[in-house]
Amino acid sequence: AQTVTQSQPEMSVQEAETVTLSCTYDTSESDYYLFWYKQPPSRQMILVIRQEAYKQQNATENRFSVNFQKAAKSFSLKISDSQLGDAAMYFCAYRSAKNYGGSQGNLIFGKGTKLSVKP
Amino acid sequence: NAGVMQNPRHLVRRRGQEARLRCSPMKGHSHVYWYRQLPEEGLKFMVYLQKENIIDESGMPKERFSAEFPKEGPSILRIQQVVRGDSAAYFCASSPRTGVGETQYFGPGTRLLVL
């Protein structure tokens, strides 16, 4: 079974600085998707960024980028020029690319990292 | 295009009552997923449905929990005879019909409190 591990329960960053959130995962599959979701105090789950495992190029979305290391099964999120609105829980998630059997595309989440942004 | 809608946003039930949570997917989305988030935890998959079919319910407790996604109307997650341990946030997500590679978009969640 696949697992997702976020080893940093809490992180803190100064406004305008850069922070990196760690995520590792365990899988025997070669084709899958990885996601970072943000959950602010409103508790709405918001997609931050997505990576297809078959793509070597790291995904970027404005100030958010990932460092995807497939061999190491690592998928870290870098937030540049941190803003107060970035304060939230961040969840890393894995999704199999299989569409049969037990893995029908459901997301497997880590336990999250709580990010605080200091003004 | 309206996002995923869930109602109610907050639900209070006494032990032994029934809870019904509703989810309307985004327009054009025919795949619906339900997840549960316990306090201080990540989301855990419960059930995956397409219109009129349960595709994967491997994450759903065998007793008291059921889900449906009828041809017309929202998806319903039903919890019978609720217990205090059912208190959690329940999230619904939807994705388009084009397959498992599609991103899931989440609703705002329903916070269930069992007294």
Side-chain angles (χ1 to χ4, degrees), chain B:
Chain B
N1 191 5
V4 178
M5 311 280 283
Q6 287 188 252
N7 67 80
R9 294 291 303 275
H10 300 274
L11 183 61
V12 179
R13 285 287 179 265
R14 297 193 179 279
R15 281 179 294 169
Q17 291 184 318
E18 178 180 287
R20 283 190 178 228
L21 288 63
R22 295 174 188 78
C23 169
S24 296
M26 288 178 71
K27 188 175 181 181
H29 288 195
S30 59
H31 299 224
V32 167
Y33 301 80
W34 284 93
Y35 294 85
R36 177 165 64 175
Q37 185 180 30
L38 295 171
E40 309 302 322
E41 294 283 326
L43 281 69
K44 293 282 196 310
F45 166 75
M46 298 182 74
V47 61
Y48 164 39
L49 310 103
Q50 294 180 20
K51 285 283 187 182
E52 301 184 275
N53 284 303
I54 296 175
I55 307 302
D56 180 3
E57 56 183 346
S58 59
M60 199 144 75
K62 295 286 188 287
E63 296 179 354
R64 303 187 299 107
F65 285 73
S66 62
E68 62 177 12
F69 189 15
K71 187 176 180 181
E72 302 290 338
S75 175
I76 306 285
L77 178 68
R78 182 181 177 206
I79 312 173
Q80 294 179 291
Q81 299 177 323
V82 296
V83 301
R84 288 212 173 114
D86 296 332
S87 295
Y90 292 82
F91 288 90
C92 164
S94 73
S95 66
R97 66 178 68 193
T98 50
V100 297
E102 289 300 324
T103 297
Q104 293 179 21
Y105 296 91
F106 283 80
T110 294
R111 277 81 183 163
L112 172 65
L113 175 62
V114 179
L115 301 176

Side-chain angles (χ1 to χ4, degrees), chain A residues 33 35 37 39 42-45 47 50 91 95-99 101-111, chain B residues 9 33 35 37 40-43 45 48 55-56 58 89 91 95 99-104 106-108 111:
Chain A
Y33 305 87
F35 304 83
Y37 281 89
Q39 189 178 46
S42 68
R43 308 211 48 193
Q44 169 84 51
M45 294 290 288
L47 176 67
R50 158 197 166 119
F91 292 97
R95 182 177 185 178
S96 171
K98 287 196 292 187
N99 62 351
S103 275
Q104 291 285 351
N106 54 283
L107 292 164
I108 299 168
F109 285 87
K111 290 194 172 184
Chain B
R9 294 291 303 275
Y33 301 80
Y35 294 85
Q37 185 180 30
E40 309 302 322
E41 294 283 326
L43 281 69
F45 166 75
Y48 164 39
I55 307 302
D56 180 3
S58 59
F91 288 90
S95 66
V100 297
E102 289 300 324
T103 297
Q104 293 179 21
F106 283 80
R111 277 81 183 163

Side-chain angles (χ1 to χ4, degrees), chain A residues 48-67:
Chain A
V48 175
I49 202 163
R50 158 197 166 119
Q51 175 82 42
E52 289 87 352
Y54 63 84
K55 289 186 178 179
Q56 291 189 344
Q57 187 173 8
N58 289 325
T60 62
E61 286 288 339
N62 301 314
R63 298 183 295 107
F64 298 86
S65 62
V66 297
N67 183 5

